[in-house]
Amino acid sequence: MESRTYATAATPGDTVTVAGWVHEIRDLGGIAFLILRDTTGKIQVKFEKNDTDDELVETGLNVHRESVLSVTGSVEAEERAPTGVEMVPTEVDVLAEADPELPLDPSGKVEAELPTRLDNRTLDLRKSEVQAIFEIRAVMLQAVRDTFRDLDCTEINTPKIVATGTEGGTELFPVTYFGREAFMNQSPQLFKQLMIGSGLERVFEVGPIFRAEEHNTPRHLNEATSIDFESAFIDDAEAMDVCEAIVVAAYEAVAANCEDELAALGLAETFEVPDTGFPRLSYGAAIERINATGALDTPLAWGDDLSTEAERALGDEVGGHYFITDWPSEIKPFYIKDRDGDETLSTGFDLMHPRLELVSGGQREHRHEQLIEGFEQQGLEPETFEYYTKMFRYGMPPHAGWGLGAERLLMTILGLENIREAVIFPRDRQRLSP
Ligand code: ATP
Ligand code: MG
């Protein structure tokens, strides 16, 4: 609509056309109010029945809630109206009618359970607090991209249908590719590393990853968005610096651009940008601290992965973002490089916010021979990955990088309890549509 004015931009004295959804109709007899809602907010339309054309009154007041109307009229200041202005209509058009029975109440007066909300996401996203999550997601992703560009990274897009998984493993979704078995990719890991030996040197990708996770949890999706970074000529410590810069930039962008959205989510007073200089705790120190809390029935031993309980105990101790570094080599994947001079320690790191893993990364094994050994130690056949290992024979520089779950980042920025809140159409073990 060429001449459409947003609800919140209607200014007293103007004659405008607004368009949106019928949020509410309050019929008080001689006078009736229709509240029209669009992406910016709401505007009150006043029908003084004696002074208004009967047909207009009928069109405006006989529609069901959530029908789509366009209303033309003059804008007047009105202190008692929700936004301080109201419209006196001269024309009302019904653009799309809504059924009287709605599967979900977009005005939020009747609360809906998450499955109902996800089944009817279109209606759910008419609520300002739900819209706010996805406005913030967009701001967050833009900040991530802008920051990577400032750091001289090139955005890449790698294939999502692949012949082999990143790490072999059971988490893969098989698909049929012209009669051959293929998989949905679980990570761009190997592809982004291949770009390190190319002239691009420093790359990032924001794209889907697919994981056939065994369990439904509040922090796992079967299709997630991964923010990946990889750079030549840096080590694990420098990769952590970039990680910190990206995470903090996302918070800063939200603080700077999302005042209304934070208010809609009730976070206006409490939202804080974290300080840089996230603590870097070695795995050894981390398990000691966890054991010292006494929170676990069986204390952790060297080589144990951190259970959810362990992550909780440590998260409660530290309180904010922190890295766990120097993981035992045996529990990190083959492509992570060992510490020089100590094969038992790896350069792998995780970023945690307090109880949740946000990032895994590390310096990569760039030496061909050691890489092949790593494959074998992990029980993988290097031949299957020849497209990848081959390039390590033609000048692959030292490099490091990481992967950050976009939904987990959004979850932690906004304090969402369930990762499904951070995706429009989540994929989990039960949910394949919409
Ligand atoms: P977790 O131990 O929490 O299952 P992971 O160690 O298996 O995660 P990585 O393979 O290290 O995950 O992936 C890097 C990042 O991608 C994770 O830190 C997380 O932010 C995100 N991620 C991984 N798997 C999922 C998933 N199933 N749903 C949402 N985000 C995910
Ligand atoms: Mg991980």
Side-chain angles (χ1 to χ4, degrees), residues 149-311:
R149 293 299 284 159
D150 290 345
L151 293 169
D152 294 330
C153 300
T154 305
E155 181 163 11
I156 58 168
N157 299 280
T158 62
K160 304 307 158 202
I161 306 176
V162 296
T164 51
T166 303
E167 293 152 48
T170 52
E171 284 184 354
L172 291 167
F173 287 110
V175 292
T176 304
Y177 192 72
F178 301 113
R180 288 156 63 192
E181 183 175 59
F183 302 96
M184 302 304 291
N185 206 6
Q186 67 198 147
S187 157
Q189 181 64 35
L190 306 185
F191 293 113
K192 66 178 177 172
Q193 281 190 266
L194 287 175
M195 289 304 96
I196 293 317
S198 81
L200 296 179
E201 284 193 27
R202 240 164 126 74
V203 297
F204 76 100
E205 177 167 10
V206 180
I209 55 170
F210 303 89
R211 304 208 176 182
E213 303 282 0
E214 262 192 64
H215 306 290
N216 266 337
T217 81
R219 60 199 167 98
H220 287 97
L221 294 161
N222 296 110
E223 178 176 350
T225 308
S226 184
I227 299 165
D228 271 89
F229 163 73
E230 202 71 26
S231 173
F233 307 112
I234 65 165
D235 63 15
D236 50 316
E238 291 165 294
M240 283 188 262
D241 294 342
V242 172
C243 180
E244 217 170 85
I246 294 288
V247 169
V248 171
Y251 276 85
E252 281 172 346
V254 172
N257 301 302
C258 303
E259 207 182 318
D260 293 347
E261 287 78 9
L262 290 172
L265 288 161
L267 297 173
E269 306 298 318
T270 51
F271 189 77
E272 270 180 43
V273 177
D275 293 330
T276 46
F278 300 161
R280 297 180 184 187
L281 210 67
S282 73
Y283 166 88
I287 59 172
E288 268 179 38
R289 263 178 95 164
I290 294 164
N291 289 340
T293 65
L296 304 186
D297 295 338
T298 327
L300 291 170
W302 181 266
D304 288 346
D305 210 343
L306 304 191
S307 60
T308 309
E309 291 70 46
E311 286 176 351

Side-chain angles (χ1 to χ4, degrees), residues 21-24 26 33-37 42-44 82:
W21 291 262
V22 177
H23 188 69
E24 197 182 346
R26 265 179 289 141
F33 298 103
L34 182 154
I35 311 293
L36 198 72
R37 186 192 67 238
K42 300 184 196 102
I43 187 162
Q44 172 165 302

Side-chain angles (χ1 to χ4, degrees), residues 164-170 329-330 332-335 370-385:
T164 51
T166 303
E167 293 152 48
T170 52
S329 303
E330 59 189 281
K332 282 290 171 188
F334 63 87
Y335 52 79
Q370 282 84 349
L371 186 68
I372 299 289
E373 271 172 32
F375 269 101
E376 285 162 353
Q377 276 165 16
Q378 205 149 320
L380 297 169
E381 288 171 16
E383 301 78 49
T384 325
F385 295 87

